[in-house]
Amino acid sequence: MLVFKSVNELKQFLFQNKHKTIGFVPTMGALHQGHLSLINQSKNKAELTICSIFVNPIQFNKPEDLENYPRTIERDIQLLEDVACDVLFLPSVNEMYPTKQYKNYDFGTLATVMEGEHRPGHFNGVANVIERFFDIIQPTYAFFGEKDFQQLAIVKDLTKQLGLSTEIIGCPILRENNGLAMSSRNERLTAEERNRAAIIYRSLIQIKNNQKTSTIEQAKKMFKTAVEQEKMNLEYIEFADGTTLQPIKEWNETNYCVAFVTVIIGKVRLIDNLTIYSNVTSTP
Ligand code: AMP
């Protein structure tokens, strides 16, 4: 695997390989099987796979979250070697933002709900870094996990707004054996906390299975009680249309409903989502 830390060196390499299709997988490191599944999808589709590891400071709305974000670069490089990733791009903050000038984007109501509401400025930071990466790499395909469902919708919208030809490909959520969605932040959980956090997925599945017999209000209450019983705090649970991401109050308001949750366990913030029902053929 080739490792580039400088934008110019990466660009030179890309110029020499300009006839190849490029698959791009942006990450913030502390890699796990969820990330590696994106790399594998890219390897199946593109001639050249580039993974980036960059902990993007401007998408963190809390300094302590940025400070505590897990960093395991040696292990990450080994994992990427093991899956035969072609290129790792490992830029510094200065390489990414030499002018420190950031753009302001308008994603309308896509960015005013859920993560957008609870993490002010987060998606603007994500959009800045993705635009910069896409400008440097000009990928044919870019792979994003449905774990960050709202981010995936924002990146699709960004690509459309910028008129880019990069195809955005959403990839399914990988989970631990107990159902907990894989996440770099899980590194900060004890084994006991990981066990307790399994209730998140179990409760979402229960909601999905009982959806015909309970109201949205009842489903929200059930979820809150279940996570609190496991000594976790519910930041939010929302049921929303999977395309517009606008919250609904009654099941019949959409034919494509996704549950979005954020739960706090200790000092760690975990997000997850599950499609409750979908009568549409293509998902965002
Ligand atoms: P992150 O390093 O957390 O910024 O994630 C980098 C990419 O990996 C994003 O597109 C995430 O949605 C994706 N990702 C993170 N966790 C998972 C998972 N459990 N399953 C699938 N994709 C994931």
Side-chain angles (χ1 to χ4, degrees):
M1 180 174 69
L2 293 168
V3 181
F4 295 103
K5 293 188 173 176
S6 106
V7 171
N8 283 342
E9 283 173 25
L10 175 62
K11 277 188 170 168
Q12 249 173 31
F13 168 80
L14 291 174
F15 185 72
Q16 289 154 8
N17 288 274
K18 64 181 170 202
H19 299 299
K20 291 189 177 159
T21 53
I22 297 175
F24 175 48
V25 181
T27 82
M28 298 203 299
L31 300 183
H32 50 68
Q33 293 302 318
H35 295 116
L36 300 182
S37 73
L38 269 52
I39 305 275
N40 282 325
Q41 293 219 36
S42 173
K43 285 188 62 79
N44 285 336
K45 209 163 161 78
E47 289 161 317
L48 193 69
T49 290
I50 302 179
C51 174
S52 65
I53 296 181
F54 178 64
V55 182
N56 178 29
I58 64 166
Q59 75 182 66
F60 286 80
N61 53 318
K62 290 191 176 153
E64 66 272 21
D65 189 22
L66 172 61
E67 220 167 275
N68 293 328
Y69 199 83
R71 289 161 171 91
T72 59
I73 191 64
E74 299 297 320
R75 198 185 72 188
D76 291 350
I77 291 174
Q78 190 55 55
L79 287 171
L80 291 172
E81 295 272 14
D82 292 347
V83 293
C85 179
D86 300 302
V87 172
L88 168 60
F89 182 39
L90 199 58
S92 65
V93 174
N94 278 341
E95 283 288 315
M96 287 300 283
Y97 303 122
T99 64
K100 297 210 165 31
Q101 305 234 307
Y102 306 112
K103 251 173 92 170
N104 275 316
Y105 299 84
D106 182 2
F107 296 110
T109 51
L110 275 184
T112 56
V113 292
M114 300 176 300
E115 289 303 275
E117 180 184 350
H118 290 264
R119 300 187 69 188
H122 170 65
F123 287 125
N124 207 64
V126 169
N128 269 280
V129 82
I130 294 298
E131 181 173 354
R132 174 84 172 122
F133 275 133
F134 281 10
D135 184 48
I136 298 165
I137 296 171
Q138 311 213 347
T140 322
Y141 313 104
F143 298 82
F144 291 84
E146 287 171 357
K147 160 91 181 349
D148 299 280
F149 196 101
Q150 195 171 3
Q151 168 174 277
L152 173 59
I154 296 269
V155 170
K156 284 186 175 174
D157 196 69
L158 173 72
T159 312
K160 212 197 264 171
Q161 285 187 31
L162 298 173
L164 303 178
S165 60
T166 301
E167 185 184 338
I168 307 300
I169 299 175
C171 306
I173 303 176
L174 259 76
R175 298 180 178 280
E176 306 285 353
N177 287 336
N178 70 3
L180 175 63
M182 289 181 181
S183 165
S184 303
R185 289 188 161 89
N186 295 354
E187 301 250 347
R188 298 179 54 212
L189 300 180
T190 62
E192 190 257 345
E193 285 172 329
R194 280 181 191 231
N195 287 337
R196 282 197 275 129
I199 194 71
I200 299 170
Y201 183 62
R202 246 188 287 141
S203 302
L204 287 174
I205 289 287
Q206 204 179 328
I207 290 171
K208 183 179 175 127
N209 292 340
N210 294 344
Q211 169 254 322
K212 293 228 157 48
T213 55
S214 77
T215 64
I216 286 188
E217 214 38 56
Q218 287 166 335
K220 284 184 174 179
K221 255 192 203 147
M222 185 281 273
F223 188 84
K224 185 169 192 298
T225 307
V227 298
E228 285 176 355
Q229 267 169 0
E230 293 293 342
K231 294 180 281 175
M232 300 185 288
N233 286 317
L234 177 64
E235 188 169 305
Y236 67 81
I237 175 165
E238 211 59 89
F239 294 87
D241 179 274
T243 306
T244 65
L245 303 191
Q246 296 316 291
I248 58 165
K249 287 204 163 82
E250 309 282 344
W251 300 121
N252 64 11
E253 284 177 49
T254 176
N255 58 6
Y256 175 26
C257 174
V258 181
F260 295 87
V261 299
T262 292
V263 170
I264 313 288
I265 175 162
K267 288 190 169 161
V268 182
R269 188 175 183 275
L270 300 175
I271 66 169
D272 203 348
N273 67 80
L274 184 73
T275 298
I276 303 299
Y277 55 85
S278 171
N279 303 324
V280 290
T281 38
S282 82
T283 55

